[in-house]
Amino acid sequence: MASSTETQPARRTQADRSAATKSRLLDATITSLVEAGYTGTTTTAVAQRAGVSRGAQLHHYGTKEKLVAAAVAHLAEQRAATVREQIAQLGDAKDTLRRTLDLLADFLSGPLYAATIELWVAARSDAALREMLIPVEAQLAKELREICREYVTSDPLLQQMTLDLLLGRGVTMLLTDWNASHRARALDAWAEMVTLRNNQGTS
């Protein structure tokens, strides 16, 4: 017989249960976007994938647009935080700028990036989706510019040019077989140019 003094597991509060349900829905939405695209992602399918009721899905995210925008924001926050953690681990490495470009390039490429691009295209003709995505994308752009400001360059123009380069690189990788060595050399050249401009600005 268990002792009455044993610590009993704490009961989950309604807020805990609600947060867990939302997390499952957001994760299931991201998986669906990657595997099935925006058109193939439905709220019913997401609820089934997340293992929650249709009513619970509607309670937390009443429309597909709200669900998708929340999922993208959720993922962007997590990935941006991961990039910052990885950069912080570089310490005072001499090649921090170059390695930061690699981390940002990874952020802006791959299946998750492809799903995001698909959302941008869909939002062009879907007013409800566009309305939901605009603040999400604005917050993400602000976060990426801040990372560039801290670890790449203090020049606002070069910050934006860096992100434009990486965004374009991500699109190119979806459509062409641009090998890894060429991609690396392109980032090497950009890092050298930015370093030169940074040094000129501090001389």
Side-chain angles (χ1 to χ4, degrees), residues 18 25 35 42 52 60 68 82 84 87 92 95-96 100 111 115 120-121 126 128 133 136 143-144 160 182-183 187 203:
S18 178
L25 284 167
E35 295 181 357
T42 66
V52 305
H60 292 293
V68 166
T82 298
R84 282 190 172 279
I87 294 173
D92 297 325
D95 59 346
T96 295
T100 297
W120 294 347
V121 174
D126 185 331
L133 284 181
V136 172
E143 179 69 19
L144 292 177
Q160 189 59 53
H182 291 166
R183 295 197 301 271
L187 291 184
S203 61

Side-chain angles (χ1 to χ4, degrees), residues 16 24-25 31 44 55 67 72 75-76 82 97 99 113 118 143 147 151 159 161:
D16 291 334
R24 288 200 300 272
L25 284 167
T31 301
T44 299
L67 177 61
V72 171
L75 182 64
T82 298
L97 189 158
R99 293 170 73 177
Y113 182 64
E118 186 172 348
E143 179 69 19
I147 291 174
Y151 301 103
Q159 292 165 22
M161 290 175 67

Side-chain angles (χ1 to χ4, degrees), residues 10-22:
R11 289 186 177 181
R12 291 203 307 169
T13 66
Q14 178 60 36
D16 291 334
R17 291 192 294 272
S18 178
T21 297
K22 290 171 72 174

Side-chain angles (χ1 to χ4, degrees), residues 79 83 87 96-110 113-114 116-117 120 140-141 143-149 151-153 157-175 178 182-191 193-194:
R79 296 186 72 199
V83 169
I87 294 173
T96 295
L97 189 158
R98 177 64 181 82
R99 293 170 73 177
T100 297
L101 291 180
D102 275 332
L103 292 172
L104 289 172
D106 288 343
F107 184 99
L108 297 170
S109 63
Y113 182 64
T116 300
I117 291 176
W120 294 347
L140 176 57
E143 179 69 19
L144 292 177
R145 282 196 299 271
E146 182 62 19
I147 291 174
C148 281
R149 185 191 68 78
Y151 301 103
V152 178
T153 178
L157 178 59
L158 283 181
Q159 292 165 22
Q160 189 59 53
M161 290 175 67
T162 297
L163 293 177
D164 288 346
L165 169 69
L166 297 175
L167 287 165
R169 176 185 181 276
V171 173
T172 299
M173 288 174 60
L174 296 175
L175 302 175
W178 194 26
H182 291 166
R183 295 197 301 271
R185 286 201 298 272
L187 291 184
D188 287 342
W190 185 252
M193 191 278 288
V194 172

